[in-house]
């Protein structure tokens, strides 16, 4: 994972922040995309943020339990639609 972060660090549209609490990022965000299933999504939902999971594989029997009622997007088309709808 560290190698991947080092690789993308120089991309123009990506910022890697160290020492930042996830809650502080949630506070300044309108919509949250969690990848994969993480507690960050639950925290965002509890703080009344628009939230979804992005999971490009579909194992439905696991997903219903793990998503805790949070919407799941399985492909880029679904995710793009969610992003557009969440910014309305």
């Amino acid at each position: 994972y560290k190698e991947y972060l080092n690789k993308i660090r120089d991309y123009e549209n990506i910022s890697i922040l160290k020492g930042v609490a996830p809650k502080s990022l949630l506070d300044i965000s309108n919509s949250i995309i969690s990848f994969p299933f993480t507690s960050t999504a639950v925290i965002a939902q509890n703080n009344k943020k628009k939230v979804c999971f992005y999971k490009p594989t579909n194992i439905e029997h696991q997903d219903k339990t793990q998503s805790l009622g949070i919407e799941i997007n399985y492909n880029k088309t679904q995710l793009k639609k969610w992003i557009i709808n969440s910014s309305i």
Side-chain angles (χ1 to χ4, degrees):
Y1 185 71
K2 287 181 181 181
E3 287 178 27
Y4 176 71
L5 290 177
N6 287 332
K7 181 179 176 182
I8 66 170
R9 134 173 317 146
D10 296 327
Y11 289 12
E12 187 175 316
N13 60 344
I14 294 181
S15 296
I16 298 174
L17 307 171
K18 295 180 181 179
V20 177
K23 177 75 168 83
S24 64
L25 294 175
L26 291 174
D27 289 342
I28 62 170
S29 301
N30 295 319
S31 302
I32 311 297
I33 300 168
S34 287
F35 175 76
F37 293 133
T38 63
S39 58
T40 307
V42 176
I43 295 167
Q45 186 178 46
N46 290 341
N47 283 276
K48 310 224 182 311
K49 301 289 183 174
K50 296 174 185 176
V51 62
C52 77
F53 288 114
Y54 177 61
K55 185 175 180 242
T57 58
N58 184 350
I59 304 172
E60 194 164 326
H61 68 279
Q62 289 179 341
D63 294 349
K64 287 182 180 180
T65 303
Q66 292 177 339
S67 71
L68 302 172
I70 297 171
E71 181 179 341
I72 306 169
N73 294 288
Y74 293 103
N75 58 54
K76 291 178 184 179
T77 302
Q78 290 177 337
L79 186 60
K80 183 176 180 179
K81 183 177 177 181
W82 182 86
I83 290 168
I84 292 167
N85 289 335
S86 70
S87 61
I88 296 175

